[in-house]
């Protein structure tokens, strides 16, 4: 019997953890450069971010969410803020039409990459949007059963990474296994399959596989991220569960998308300037404050109203479809 996924507070904790790791990796000095801890934090954070995305998207589609509704909800969630951010970035310096279109159409991460200055981090949204389109097409063509291609595609993507020697990449086919691993976890969770590997073991493996000096071990990063999330759903120690489900983590998770979009743009301004202690006592606090403030305002007063409008639109669709469905059922009787 399939296990349905509702709101799982612990996933909010992992979402908050993922964005905090990314912010730390991009904005804060995490130790001597020789240790490359900023790279570790960024890679681990993105792996968790993608895993959560794959888990939730595949879960909803596997539970029967209509493709049309799925696409409308995803578009309402991603497009308004991202397109607003891109509109701001194209005013900073001149770009040719091709570059602008590639960014607005979410293909700027594909070779040759043509990401905007201040928007280099938005490559991940390109991978996300391309995944949404592919998984929607799979469901339209093959139905819900087509989702069982997700584990196959995950392994195929990892095999492509190994063949190309790409331990980490922004190109979709060399990075999408992080999303697909989360989708694989969703299918396993839906069928009641559980993992009880101690969280600290999987967490250490995720961090190790996120370090650029661990060689081939990095190819396993998507699966360690999925195992970490999966293990926490069934065997999280009380202290970890309490920490991940704290109200502060829920709030950070709520504004996490806006934090991600805004932080790179803010860092490209004078707020991201400075060196050494001067930066840590002047511009960095301001950068973090502005990033969190803008993320809060964007989430509450820009993104949420759009998402509510999308849900209302979907509700009207359902109401309009009901008379037709009843008529068909009556004719069949």
């Amino acid at each position: 019997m399939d296990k349905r996924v509702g709101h799982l507070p612990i996933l909010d904790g992992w979402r908050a953890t993922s964005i905090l790791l990314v912010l730390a990796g991009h904005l804060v000095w995490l130790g001597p450069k020789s240790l490359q801890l900023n790279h570790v934090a960024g890679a681990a954070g993105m792996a968790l971010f993608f895993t959560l995305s794959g888990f939730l998207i595949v879960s909803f589609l596997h539970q029967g969410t209509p493709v049309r509704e799925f696409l409308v909800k995803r578009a309402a969630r991603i497009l308004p803020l991202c397109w607003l951010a891109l509109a701001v970035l194209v005013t900073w310096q001149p770009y040719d039409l091709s570059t602008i279109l590639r960014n607005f159409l979410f293909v700027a991460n594909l070779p040759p990459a043509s990401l905007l200055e201040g928007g280099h981090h938005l490559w991940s949204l390109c991978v996300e949007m391309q995944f949404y389109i592919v998984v929607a097409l799979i469901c339209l063509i093959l139905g819900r059963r087509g989702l069982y291609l997700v584990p196959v595609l995950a392994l195929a993507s990892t095999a492509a990474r190994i063949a190309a020697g790409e331990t980490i990449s922004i190109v979709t086919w060399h990075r999408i296994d992080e999303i697909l691993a989360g989708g694989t976890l969703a299918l396993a969770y839906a069928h009641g399959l559980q993992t009880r590997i101690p969280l600290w073991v999987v967490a250490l493996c995720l961090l190790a596989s996120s370090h650029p000096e661990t060689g081939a071990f990095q190819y396993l990063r998507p699966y360690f991220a999925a195992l970490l999330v999966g293990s926490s759903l069934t065997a999280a120690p009380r202290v970890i569960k309490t920490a991940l489900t704290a109200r502060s983590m829920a709030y950070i998770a709520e504004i996490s998308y806006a934090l991600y979009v805004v932080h790179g743009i803010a860092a490209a301004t004078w707020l991201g300037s400075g060196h050494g202690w001067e930066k840590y006592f002047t511009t960095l606090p301001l950068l973090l404050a502005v990033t969190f403030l803008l993320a809060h305002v964007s989430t509450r007063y820009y993104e949420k109203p759009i998402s509510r409008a999308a849900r209302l639109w979907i509700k009207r669709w359902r109401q309009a479809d009901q008379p037709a469905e009843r008529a068909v059922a009556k004719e069949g009787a």
Side-chain angles (χ1 to χ4, degrees):
M1 180 180 293
D2 287 354
K3 187 175 182 180
R4 297 186 68 82
V5 174
H7 177 242
L8 300 172
I10 202 166
L11 296 186
D12 290 338
W14 285 123
R15 188 174 300 280
T17 300
S18 71
I19 188 60
L20 290 175
L21 282 170
V22 169
L23 292 179
H26 289 176
L27 305 179
V28 182
W29 177 66
L30 297 179
K33 288 185 178 181
S34 60
L35 296 180
Q36 302 186 72
L37 296 180
N38 285 79
H39 185 284
V40 172
M46 284 308 307
L48 285 171
F49 178 84
F50 279 145
T51 290
L52 293 168
S53 179
F55 179 83
L56 292 172
I57 295 307
V58 172
S59 292
F60 293 147
L61 289 172
H62 187 260
Q63 289 170 183
T65 299
V67 172
R68 178 176 64 174
E69 294 183 11
F70 158 70
L71 290 174
V72 169
K73 287 180 180 179
R74 288 293 87 196
R77 181 76 177 98
I78 300 296
L79 298 185
L81 181 58
C82 185
W83 278 353
L84 176 60
L86 291 173
V88 170
L89 291 176
V90 297
T91 66
W92 286 7
Q93 58 180 290
Y95 294 99
D96 60 83
L97 181 60
S98 174
T99 297
I100 294 173
L101 288 177
R102 280 170 57 83
N103 279 270
F104 275 88
L105 295 177
F106 298 96
V107 293
N109 71 313
L110 302 181
S114 53
L115 296 157
L116 304 181
E117 187 65 33
H120 291 106
H121 62 299
L122 299 180
W123 65 267
S124 64
L125 299 186
C126 296
V127 177
E128 286 270 339
M129 291 298 288
Q130 292 164 37
F131 168 70
Y132 297 157
I133 293 171
V134 169
V135 76
L137 287 174
I138 287 174
C139 288
L140 285 173
I141 296 170
L142 300 175
R144 194 172 71 167
R145 294 172 300 177
L147 293 172
Y148 291 99
L149 287 174
V150 166
V152 177
L153 294 175
L155 293 175
S157 175
T158 303
R161 289 173 59 211
I162 294 172
E166 291 284 357
T167 54
I168 192 164
S169 173
I170 68 170
V171 177
T172 302
W173 48 85
H174 289 152
R175 195 60 178 268
I176 201 169
D177 53 354
E178 293 185 354
I179 300 180
L180 295 169
T184 302
L185 172 64
L187 296 174
Y189 185 78
H191 289 290
L193 300 178
Q194 299 181 357
T195 174
R196 295 186 178 276
I197 304 173
L199 257 63
W200 67 270
V201 173
V202 189
L204 287 177
C205 287
L206 173 60
L207 293 175
S209 63
S210 300
H211 198 286
E213 299 300 326
T214 54
F217 199 59
Q218 295 174 78
Y219 295 126
L220 298 176
R221 184 175 56 253
Y223 307 101
F224 287 134
L227 279 174
L228 182 60
V229 173
S231 296
S232 72
L233 293 174
T234 56
R238 183 181 297 274
V239 64
I240 299 297
K241 188 173 182 180
T242 299
L244 289 174
T245 57
R247 291 181 62 183
S248 57
M249 297 295 271
Y251 171 71
I252 294 172
E254 179 188 358
I255 66 172
S256 60
Y257 173 61
L259 282 174
Y260 184 76
V261 173
V262 169
H263 88 277
I265 299 173
T269 69
W270 68 271
L271 291 171
S273 62
H275 299 281
W277 293 112
E278 175 191 359
K279 175 179 180 179
Y280 280 87
F281 285 103
T282 55
T283 55
L284 181 60
L286 282 174
L287 171 60
L288 293 174
V290 168
T291 297
F292 273 83
L293 177 61
L294 289 177
H296 176 88
V297 171
S298 174
T299 300
R300 295 289 177 87
Y301 304 108
Y302 178 55
E303 299 166 61
K304 281 194 171 182
I306 294 173
S307 292
R308 284 196 294 268
R311 289 195 296 270
L312 180 60
W313 193 6
I314 289 171
K315 184 178 180 180
R316 289 173 178 170
W317 278 352
R318 291 175 178 173
Q319 292 172 343
D321 289 343
Q322 285 176 356
E325 291 173 357
R326 284 196 293 265
V328 170
K330 187 175 182 180
E331 290 177 4

